[in-house]
Structures are given as structure tokens and as C-alpha cells.
Amino acid sequence: MKMYKIIKPTTRIDNYQCIVMATSYTDPLEQMDLIRNLENDLRDLKISKGTVVFDLLTCIGDNFERFSTLCFDGYKFNLNSYEIINVPKKVFSVKI
């Protein structure tokens, strides 16, 4: 079972290629094997060079570390590019 879901936006926002949403309590950025699996999945989806946004709500909670980014070169992540970002809550609000 995947511990994340990859969402490709219909319109590109800035240089963000996609959003990776954690779907379990396991942070997909904490284990090298999960990072390598994610890189493979991004290549399979033809995600090109740019920034990938991570929504870690299910594993970190709704705090300042919820959203982060990593640069993806089309093949692998630059792990030194990790950055916590501030995303306004209205961007991810969902009406039920």
C-alpha cells in the first residue's frame, strides 16, 4: 500500500510540479526507500524538473511543518533543497 498520493494540478502554480499527500502516519520523507519509491513514481508519471510540494497532514498534523518542498530534477530529489513553506489554509479548504 502506498503511503502517499501524487496529485498533478490541472494548472501549474509557480514552479510546483505536483503535490504529494501523505496518506498514513508514516512520513514519506523519513526513509530512503520511500523516497526512492516516490522518485520512481514521479518518473513514471513523467513529472519534469521543478519543485514538489508535500502535504504531511496525516503524519505531522496541522502545524507549521505541514507543508514542505523538495526540488526534483526529473530523476531524483535534491535532498539539500528541503524547505518548509507557508500555504494559506484557504488554498486547501474542501467543502463537504
Side-chain angles (χ1 to χ4, degrees):
M1 180 177 104
K2 298 269 185 194
M3 301 202 183
Y4 54 84
K5 179 174 177 73
I6 300 170
I7 300 168
K8 289 176 67 172
T10 53
T11 57
R12 196 161 160 193
I13 303 168
D14 294 328
N15 194 31
Y16 299 146
Q17 294 296 323
C18 64
I19 299 166
V20 176
M21 296 183 71
T23 57
S24 79
Y25 62 88
T26 303
D27 184 341
L29 298 175
E30 284 187 349
Q31 299 174 10
M32 248 359 232
D33 60 327
L34 291 177
I35 293 172
R36 297 300 170 236
N37 289 340
L38 178 54
E39 290 170 338
N40 288 334
D41 290 343
L42 293 175
R43 286 191 299 270
D44 290 346
L45 291 171
K46 309 287 189 242
I47 301 295
S48 59
K49 182 178 181 179
T51 304
V52 175
V53 176
F54 292 86
D55 182 352
L56 305 175
L57 177 65
T58 58
C59 50
I60 292 179
D62 192 14
N63 64 45
F64 77 96
E65 294 179 307
R66 174 180 173 181
F67 296 101
S68 58
T69 60
L70 273 176
C71 292
F72 184 68
D73 68 6
Y75 184 76
K76 64 180 181 166
F77 287 113
N78 175 353
L79 299 179
N80 293 323
S81 69
Y82 179 81
E83 183 177 356
I84 294 172
I85 61 171
N86 183 19
V87 175
K89 291 191 185 265
K90 67 181 182 178
V91 171
F92 284 94
S93 63
V94 177
K95 293 183 180 180
I96 299 176

